[in-house]
Amino acid sequence: MSEPGSSSIAAHFRRLPDPRVRRTRRHSLEAILVITLCAVICGADDWVSIAHFGHAKRKWFRRFLALPHGIPSHDTFGRVFAALDPEAFKAAFLAWVHTVAALLPGDVIAIDGKTLRQTFDKASDKAAIHMVSAWATAQGVCLGQVKTDAKSNEITAIPKLLDVLALADRIVTIDAMGCQTAIAQAIQAKGGDYVLSLKGNQTLLHDDIRTFFVDAEAHAFAGIPHTTAETVDGDHGRIEVRRAWATDDLAWLEDRPRWSGLRSVLRVDAERTVGERTSCETRFFLSSLPPDAALLARAVRSHWAIENSLHWVLDVAMNQDKTRIRTGHAPENLAILHHVALNLLKQERTAKLGIKNRRLAAGWEHDYLLRVIMGAKN
């Protein structure tokens, strides 16, 4: 196995423009980025711990990094990441992901946002940043991210994210915030299909579709072409029953011409029983896919992988919400680095461990950290 310096992600790092004046550079940008990535993979979450990690591993790093002036100080790490162009860093991330994410036709790409709660700064009246991410649900890989200043700006951020994704023959799922005609059109323009959650932000449309399904159910869907699907699963005393109805009977829908490629609407009833308590929820969706209830319900179910496999892991296994780095571009750049680290940890499948324990193993074992950095799968 070759050293990390020749790995795919390190090769993409080398293309980044260095934000520092040449005469002031004592440490290479590649060394700073590789040390930081390794430190983040192993659990470091601030510049002091990243620098300390570098010093603890300096003999190992010298095997493949040029370190004529030793390990950078914590101030150097902080200054570089605060100044590093996040758009260039994001472009390098996207270029790397395109080489490792083998998406197939019909794969689901879930898009959702997450606020980095500790990135706010009262002193400078700076709000916490909000990252909108794209998640390949089958591969378990983050495909990209865009920063916004608030959740309400997801409407403008999502098209920017869609613009850099390969969507042809893929299914894009988005929650109600992204249920917009312009977003549906953008997905269709790139050859993708959509399943968009419909809630109160499209009040009239939501009410019309809800009324349609209530009336159709009351008459046993007589004369209405439709498909149905049902799944039952559960664990630890929880039982969840999901029932889905899909139809392409949309001649009655006045808003249909506004939604590019709209072919079907979906209703999903989720009944959840925990012990003696049962709760029910009904949701509605718009889709450019045919009215195949089983296919549409699977896409809806897959969407929640971005919460469970990305956002939850970033918070619980990688402590992202506790990160207090706030200066310059550093919060956004560190968020991108968290996505890089998570992708690498998920690609490494030889250790049958959760993400948290993979991070510990990487910190303890140089050979295992090398496997993670190299993106080795077997």
Side-chain angles (χ1 to χ4, degrees):
M1 183 184 296
S2 59
E3 299 290 6
S6 62
S7 69
S8 174
I9 185 61
H12 285 89
F13 278 168
R14 294 190 194 109
R15 303 174 189 175
L16 286 174
D18 196 319
R20 298 168 295 172
V21 176
R22 184 177 296 275
R23 61 181 174 79
T24 65
R25 302 176 193 171
R26 300 182 73 247
H27 309 278
S28 72
L29 181 61
E30 180 185 355
I32 291 170
L33 291 168
V34 170
I35 292 169
T36 305
L37 175 59
C38 289
V40 168
I41 286 171
C42 297
D45 55 13
D46 59 44
W47 306 130
V48 172
S49 59
I50 288 168
H52 187 74
F53 176 89
H55 284 287
K57 304 282 188 181
R58 63 185 178 278
K59 290 183 180 179
W60 183 71
F61 280 123
R62 280 180 173 145
R63 289 167 51 188
F64 51 86
L65 291 177
L67 298 170
H69 299 288
I71 301 297
S73 69
H74 68 275
D75 285 334
T76 298
F77 283 108
R79 283 195 300 269
V80 170
F81 275 89
L84 186 66
D85 179 4
E87 293 303 315
F89 198 18
K90 185 166 39 180
F93 170 82
L94 289 168
W96 168 65
V97 166
H98 288 163
T99 69
V100 300
L103 269 66
L104 300 173
D107 279 350
V108 174
I109 299 175
I111 294 179
D112 197 16
K114 176 183 181 295
T115 300
L116 280 63
R117 303 189 184 283
Q118 296 300 323
T119 56
F120 71 92
D121 188 351
K122 288 184 178 179
S124 60
D125 196 28
K126 180 180 178 181
I129 68 172
H130 189 79
M131 300 292 289
V132 179
S133 303
W135 181 254
T137 62
Q139 292 77 13
V141 171
C142 179
L143 301 175
Q145 59 283 304
V146 172
K147 188 197 85 166
T148 74
D149 292 323
K151 188 170 178 63
S152 60
N153 288 335
E154 284 189 18
I155 295 173
T156 57
I158 290 172
K160 295 177 183 177
L161 182 55
L162 294 173
D163 190 50
V164 299
L165 299 175
L167 302 181
D169 300 320
R170 278 91 193 225
I171 301 170
V172 179
T173 61
I174 312 178
D175 65 12
M177 181 65 73
C179 189
Q180 306 288 330
T181 55
I183 289 173
Q185 184 175 7
I187 294 168
Q188 286 274 287
K190 298 200 68 176
D193 284 297
Y194 59 81
V195 180
L196 306 178
S197 180
L198 185 62
K199 290 185 179 178
N201 61 322
Q202 296 283 350
T203 305
L204 295 178
L205 182 59
H206 178 272
D207 290 347
D208 285 347
I209 291 176
R210 179 180 59 187
T211 299
F212 168 82
F213 275 107
V214 169
D215 185 66
E217 185 180 29
H219 294 88
F221 283 87
I224 299 176
H226 69 286
T227 61
T228 62
E230 179 175 311
T231 59
V232 180
D233 64 76
D235 55 31
H236 305 295
R238 173 189 62 84
I239 299 175
E240 189 159 349
V241 181
R242 293 172 177 264
R243 301 180 181 90
W245 297 262
T247 182
D248 59 0
D249 182 357
L250 303 177
W252 54 272
L253 189 60
E254 291 184 9
D255 264 357
R256 183 177 184 180
R258 297 177 56 237
W259 294 90
S260 177
L262 179 60
R263 295 178 65 185
S264 61
V265 292
L266 174 73
R267 168 180 166 175
V268 176
D269 288 358
E271 181 181 285
R272 181 186 177 96
T273 301
V274 181
E276 300 297 321
R277 185 173 181 177
T278 298
S279 60
C280 299
E281 181 184 18
T282 297
R283 290 177 290 155
F284 302 98
F285 302 84
L286 304 178
S287 181
S288 60
L289 292 166
D292 181 336
L295 171 65
L296 294 170
R298 281 197 300 272
V300 168
R301 187 80 182 273
S302 295
H303 180 81
W304 297 111
I306 196 169
E307 284 291 341
N308 299 329
S309 301
L310 178 61
H311 295 164
W312 187 88
V313 172
L314 287 172
D315 280 348
V316 176
M318 302 190 75
N319 297 316
Q320 189 181 67
D321 259 2
K322 295 181 180 178
T323 300
R324 294 179 176 272
I325 292 171
R326 300 164 181 166
T327 304
H329 298 306
E332 183 176 359
N333 285 326
L334 194 60
I336 295 170
L337 206 62
H338 276 127
H339 286 132
V340 174
L342 182 57
N343 280 359
L344 287 169
L345 287 162
K346 282 185 170 289
Q347 283 185 86
E348 205 303 300
R349 302 187 183 104
T350 61
K352 306 303 180 184
L353 301 168
I355 295 298
K356 183 176 180 179
N357 285 328
R358 289 185 197 186
R359 298 182 82 192
L360 291 173
W364 294 330
E365 305 169 28
H366 288 156
D367 287 346
Y368 183 70
L369 176 55
L370 190 61
R371 293 193 68 84
V372 172
I373 293 298
M374 293 295 295
K377 300 177 178 63
N378 49 55

